[in-house]
Amino acid sequence: GQNIDQPTEMTATEGAIVQINCTYQTSGFNGLFWYQQHAGEAPTFLSYNVLDGLEEKGRFSSFLSRSKGYSYLLLKELQMKDSASYLCAVLDSNYQLIWGAGTKLIIKP
Amino acid sequence: IAGITQAPTSQILAAGRRMTLRCTQDMRHNAMYWYRQDLGLGLRLIHYSNTAGTTGKGEVPDGYSVSRANTDDFPLTLASAVPSQTSVYFCASSEGTSANTGELFFGEGSRLTVL
């Protein structure tokens, strides 16, 4: 079966750095997405990786290793507004999106 | 403001009743999707449409039906609601087809409770 694993919940301090990991086992791979979802709101797109390496976008970076079936989302200079759930999703060989359950990130002052 | 509009935002429904969740987008996107989101689970695809006039089944289609008469509208119907269909439903769209790697744009969600 296809599987996306992420930690259920993480806690970090305002101003710090946090890394949210995602491991996947899917039938084929055509890219990996990260979405942010604030409580009670819709998910919004953060990043897309299809090649190995690091993609940087402001305070957020996303890393991919296809050989290891692994990605992480790195958030720097954490702000209170970064408190949200972060969803990892993989596009499989049929171009269907397989979603992880999400990681709830709690930011403390 | 361009985007996706869902209605209703919240609904309590008696089991056995018929319910249609509405979804309208004004971005002229080809592909549209319906997901359900349940606590502890990832988003699960119910039905999708790659373009107007076509629809397809997702991971959890049973008990749901959709139609795509035009580009903008993609309603989801529960013919006879059951308590296990209590969930938050998200409509989404993307510029390309489901084979495209484009990002998804989501509506604000419809919270449905079936008693």
Side-chain angles (χ1 to χ4, degrees):
Chain A
Q2 307 203 88
N3 196 48
I4 310 284
D5 284 319
Q6 313 177 227
T8 302
E9 186 175 298
M10 299 181 69
T11 302
T13 304
E14 189 177 15
I17 299 174
V18 70
Q19 177 175 311
I20 302 174
N21 296 325
C22 171
T23 59
Y24 62 88
Q25 293 174 308
T26 57
S27 56
F29 178 86
N30 281 297
L32 185 144
F33 292 83
W34 285 97
Y35 281 78
Q36 180 189 58
Q37 185 178 23
H38 286 100
E41 297 184 9
T44 55
F45 171 81
L46 285 178
S47 67
Y48 170 68
N49 295 68
V50 67
L51 299 177
D52 290 351
L54 188 68
E55 295 277 345
E56 297 186 76
K57 191 185 295 185
R59 294 189 298 113
F60 292 11
S61 302
S62 56
F63 172 83
L64 174 66
S65 169
R66 289 171 296 172
S67 63
K68 295 182 179 179
Y70 168 70
S71 172
Y72 67 73
L73 181 69
L74 190 71
L75 291 72
K76 303 177 184 176
E77 302 169 15
L78 286 170
Q79 302 175 9
M80 297 303 293
K81 67 178 182 180
D82 297 329
S83 292
S85 289
Y86 292 85
L87 315 181
C88 174
V90 171
L91 206 57
D92 71 8
S93 58
N94 294 319
Y95 289 92
Q96 296 298 315
L97 267 177
I98 311 300
W99 293 83
T103 299
K104 182 179 180 180
L105 178 63
I106 300 168
I107 310 296
K108 295 185 175 181
Chain B
I1 299 176
I4 296 182
T5 303
Q6 290 185 232
T9 55
S10 180
Q11 181 74 47
I12 298 174
L13 188 66
R17 297 298 295 269
R18 180 183 181 90
M19 178 72 196
T20 295
L21 303 180
R22 300 183 298 279
C23 176
T24 300
Q25 54 108 354
D26 60 4
M27 297 176 283
R28 307 303 293 172
H29 283 174
N30 287 314
M32 297 188 75
Y33 315 85
W34 273 105
Y35 285 94
R36 61 178 290 172
Q37 187 174 42
D38 301 289
L39 197 63
L41 299 177
L43 287 162
R44 292 183 291 170
L45 183 65
I46 304 170
H47 285 286
Y48 65 93
S49 169
N50 287 341
T51 188
T54 69
T55 62
K57 293 181 179 180
E59 181 186 355
V60 288
D62 293 344
Y64 305 95
S65 63
V66 292
S67 62
R68 187 86 184 277
N70 55 62
T71 298
D72 299 342
D73 301 301
F74 191 44
L76 176 73
T77 296
L78 290 67
S80 179
V82 295
S84 62
Q85 291 178 311
T86 293
S87 187
V88 180
Y89 292 86
F90 285 101
C91 180
S93 71
S94 63
E95 190 171 353
T97 67
S98 62
N100 194 288
T101 57
E103 67 179 273
L104 294 180
F105 294 83
F106 286 86
E108 290 302 309
S110 296
R111 182 175 295 276
L112 184 65
T113 302
V114 183
L115 302 177

